[in-house]
């Protein structure tokens, strides 16, 4: 099984499809500015849960954010939890000045 993730920029979301199917297996909604991308909602259809679709969505979205030099705001609990388990992506996280210690 292969999961293909694409940025559907017109819909402001990443979409995952399995094995080239036209059916969307999962989505990750975002809000994007020139400096920041906020991931606000992730959803995987029930029939595709537990098959790595969510992880593929997050990894692809974060890799593309890194390539575009964007900071990431993980308001979606799925994104936040995934990043917590993969510290190699923590450097992407946006930190407001009130959260930064001098």
């Amino acid at each position: 099984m292969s999961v293909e993730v694409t940025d559907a920029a017109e819909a402001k979301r990443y979409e995952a499809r399995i094995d080239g199917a036209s059916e969307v297996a999962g989505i990750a909604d975002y809000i994007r500015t020139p400096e920041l991308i906020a991931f606000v909602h992730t959803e995987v259809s029930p029939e595709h849960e537990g098959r790595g679709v969510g992880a593929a969505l997050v990894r692809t979205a974060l890799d593309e954010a890194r390539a575009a030099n964007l900071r990431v705001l993980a308001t979606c609990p799925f994104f936040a939890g995934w990043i917590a388990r993969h510290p190699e992506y923590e450097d992407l996280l946006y930190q407001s000045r009130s959260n930064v210690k001098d």
Side-chain angles (χ1 to χ4, degrees):
M1 178 191 91
S2 68
V3 180
E4 178 186 332
V5 177
T6 56
D7 182 3
E10 68 285 350
K12 297 180 182 169
R13 69 186 196 181
Y14 281 88
E15 297 177 344
R17 291 178 172 77
I18 295 177
D19 295 331
S22 60
E23 170 194 1
V24 175
I27 56 104
D29 294 323
Y30 63 80
I31 300 168
R32 185 175 175 163
T33 71
E35 299 86 25
L36 178 78
I37 187 163
F39 293 101
V40 295
H41 178 71
T42 305
E43 187 173 330
V44 174
S45 60
E47 63 269 20
H48 299 297
E49 287 179 356
R51 300 173 69 189
V53 174
L57 280 164
V58 176
R59 188 177 303 277
T60 299
L62 293 178
D63 286 346
E64 289 189 6
R66 187 183 303 283
N69 287 324
L70 294 172
R71 294 324 241 164
V72 170
L73 183 59
T75 60
C76 168
F78 187 83
F79 264 77
W82 194 92
I83 293 169
R85 291 186 308 278
H86 296 85
E88 65 271 24
Y89 287 94
E90 287 179 351
D91 64 303
L92 293 173
L93 291 175
Y94 171 79
Q95 294 190 9
S96 68
R97 290 195 177 267
S98 62
N99 290 340
V100 177
K101 296 181 181 177
D102 293 327

